[in-house]
Amino acid sequence: MDPVSVGLLAALAGGVAGEVGRQTWTALGALVRRPFGRGGGQAAAVSSGEAELTRLAADPGDQTRAQALSTALAVRAAVDEDFRTGLAAWHEQAALVRAGDGAVTNLVSGGTQNGPVLQGKDFTNVTFNAPPPPPSSGGAGASAADSTR
């Protein structure tokens, strides 16, 4: 399993993504607080991740704390099969929050845009009342209908 993204952990601790993000953070806390599963003999030598989770919640902007939590989760997953399974399931659910981990790439190219160009991420229910495009000139792109006007 891939390590949990430091950016995702910091974002969740900081309260991004509204209710979905809060539920995802709460679910991680519940998972971390579960007792060690199989391989419990190693539990004393490995952090449950609870202390790292608490420290990150206290200062969500601290990337070092987010990295410490990511490392604790990875180590525990390596020694605790039940936790690894739970963490993998949690990670799939967290995909709703991490979609692209916040990365946005906008590219506008290919000529003149005759109307609004909106750049950003995850737009919904957006409408524009823009004027129609200017009429084409009688050049090579003119249609037969244009020549009869």
Side-chain angles (χ1 to χ4, degrees), residues 1 7 11 19 30 38 43 59 82 87 105 107 143-144:
M1 170 177 183
E19 184 61 20
R38 293 179 218 142
D59 187 2
D82 289 340
L87 186 61
T105 302
L107 177 65
S143 68

Side-chain angles (χ1 to χ4, degrees), residues 39-77:
Q42 297 175 351
V46 175
S47 171
S48 69
E50 190 169 357
E52 292 84 357
L53 184 84
T54 302
R55 283 194 286 273
L56 180 58
D59 187 2
D62 187 335
Q63 293 293 307
T64 303
R65 292 179 183 199
Q67 181 62 58
L69 177 56
S70 178
T71 300
L73 296 174
V75 170
R76 182 169 174 188

Side-chain angles (χ1 to χ4, degrees), residues 15-104:
V16 302
E19 184 61 20
V20 173
R22 188 192 64 73
Q23 290 175 359
T24 304
W25 180 253
T26 300
L28 179 61
L31 177 64
V32 164
R33 288 177 186 92
R34 282 199 285 189
F36 275 80
R38 293 179 218 142
Q42 297 175 351
V46 175
S47 171
S48 69
E50 190 169 357
E52 292 84 357
L53 184 84
T54 302
R55 283 194 286 273
L56 180 58
D59 187 2
D62 187 335
Q63 293 293 307
T64 303
R65 292 179 183 199
Q67 181 62 58
L69 177 56
S70 178
T71 300
L73 296 174
V75 170
R76 182 169 174 188
V79 299
D80 183 344
E81 184 178 332
D82 289 340
F83 182 78
R84 180 174 48 253
T85 302
L87 186 61
W90 175 86
H91 208 230
E92 287 297 316
Q93 291 291 10
L96 298 172
V97 176
R98 73 172 186 261
D101 283 334
V104 176

